[in-house]
Amino acid sequence: MQLIQFTGTSNLTEKAVELICQIVKEKPDATLCFACGETPRPVMNGLIQCHEKGSVDFSRVTLIGLDEWIGVGRETKGSCAQMLYDDFFTPMGFKEDQITIFNGLSANLSDDIEKINDLVEKKGIDFLLLGIGMNGHIGLNEPGEDPNQNAHLVNLSATTKKVMSKYFSEEIAIEKGITLGFSQLLNAKTIIMIATGERKAKIVKQIIEQKPNPQLPASLLKLSKNESLFFIDKEAASLLD
Ligand code: PGA
């Protein structure tokens, strides 16, 4: 994992957008996987600008979902599906047949898991954009989980249940999530994990200082044998020596 510090969030965003555009130019049918949440939003906005300018053709990429809260669907503001569609997929003009994401309202989650696992197995992930939870989770891989898993159901940690309320406009009790697992994530050809802002400084310091271990899922990105980049801004780097 290569740590790259940026002076500002805008340089960080520009570099991430440039890299993603490069990947799609070189492989127009690339498979891309994007985290939802606050962190990836500026990068998504940058990609929307590229799409609007027509500088990169995204019409052949495949999109695979990273995670979802169980019990909510696209019509609930704050679900991953809602954020991905409204902030990214719709403005990018992606067609339905380009998109496979988890359905938090599915009556048959094991079929959904199998479908996503098959797709990841068949196509692989060319590019993966990640944020980091306040407890170091990646997607919804929570601290202490077995990292040798494909897509799976997760019991949400106390920290995640507390933090997640920021996404929803009303109080929703959610106990479980669904996420791609580290067996899949670590095989992604290029990974950019982003941490921005002072609130991420403590977890960034832990990730840098600790050896890869499942108690701190983000540290497992150090095990990637492919291109694994850790982009942080000045605020997120503020506790580093
Ligand atoms: P955030 O979420 O980008 O909204 O901080 C990160 C995460 O929990 O993965």
Side-chain angles (χ1 to χ4, degrees):
M1 185 175 79
Q2 189 189 351
L3 177 70
I4 307 176
Q5 291 187 39
F6 292 86
T7 46
T9 315
S10 56
N11 321 350
L12 182 156
T13 302
E14 255 170 53
K15 187 68 198 169
V17 169
E18 188 189 310
L19 256 161
I20 299 165
C21 288
Q22 192 59 37
I23 288 169
V24 175
K25 276 182 187 161
E26 281 168 17
K27 187 175 178 189
D29 62 347
T31 302
L32 315 176
C33 177
F34 287 80
C36 57
E38 289 171 16
T39 308
R41 215 166 263 155
V43 176
M44 290 174 179
N45 289 338
L47 291 171
I48 293 166
Q49 281 174 24
C50 293
H51 164 67
E52 285 171 353
K53 275 191 267 168
S55 51
V56 188
D57 178 8
F58 290 92
S59 65
R60 289 174 55 206
V61 302
T62 294
L63 287 313
I64 297 186
L66 175 64
D67 55 1
E68 186 56 281
W69 314 102
I70 297 297
V72 292
R74 188 174 158 188
E75 54 298 322
T76 300
K77 192 170 176 329
S79 68
C80 292
Q82 180 272 321
M83 287 192 259
L84 287 172
Y85 269 94
D86 292 352
D87 297 344
F88 191 44
F89 294 169
T90 304
M92 289 291 286
F94 293 134
K95 297 180 290 299
E96 276 305 309
D97 63 3
Q98 290 178 270
I99 302 169
T100 303
I101 60 172
F102 292 112
N103 174 9
L105 291 175
S106 172
N108 199 337
L109 283 168
S110 48
D111 278 3
D112 286 20
I113 287 176
E114 205 178 305
K115 192 171 138 206
I116 288 232
N117 283 341
D118 286 350
L119 185 62
V120 175
E121 166 96 33
K122 188 171 135 224
K123 294 195 65 106
I125 298 173
D126 293 296
F127 175 77
L128 173 62
L129 185 68
L130 299 171
I132 307 168
M134 296 301 284
N135 61 356
H137 77 198
I138 289 293
L140 284 172
N141 290 278
E142 297 281 35
E145 269 189 54
D146 175 5
N148 300 308
Q149 296 188 78
N150 287 332
H152 60 285
L153 276 170
V154 178
N155 291 317
L156 300 177
S157 69
T159 307
T160 299
K161 284 193 262 187
K162 204 165 129 204
V163 174
M164 60 175 268
S165 63
K166 72 174 177 170
Y167 302 118
F168 297 103
S169 45
E170 55 197 66
E171 202 145 314
I172 307 185
I174 297 178
E175 297 294 327
K176 287 184 185 292
I178 191 164
T179 184
L180 294 185
F182 271 98
S183 290
Q184 296 160 318
L185 303 182
L186 288 178
N187 283 324
K189 294 202 183 84
T190 300
I191 303 169
I192 302 181
M193 175 166 75
I194 297 179
T196 47
E198 212 180 327
R199 72 193 171 98
K200 295 287 168 73
K202 210 165 131 203
I203 201 77
V204 165
K205 186 174 165 64
Q206 290 172 22
I207 295 164
I208 297 305
E209 290 179 352
Q210 289 185 27
K211 292 205 177 82
N213 74 87
Q215 291 303 331
L216 184 60
S219 69
L220 296 169
L221 270 294
K222 294 178 182 177
L223 298 175
S224 162
K225 295 189 177 66
N226 300 323
E227 185 175 42
S228 170
L229 308 170
F230 187 14
F231 281 14
I232 59 176
D233 68 0
K234 211 161 92 196
E235 287 75 24
S238 59
L239 296 178
L240 299 182
D241 299 329

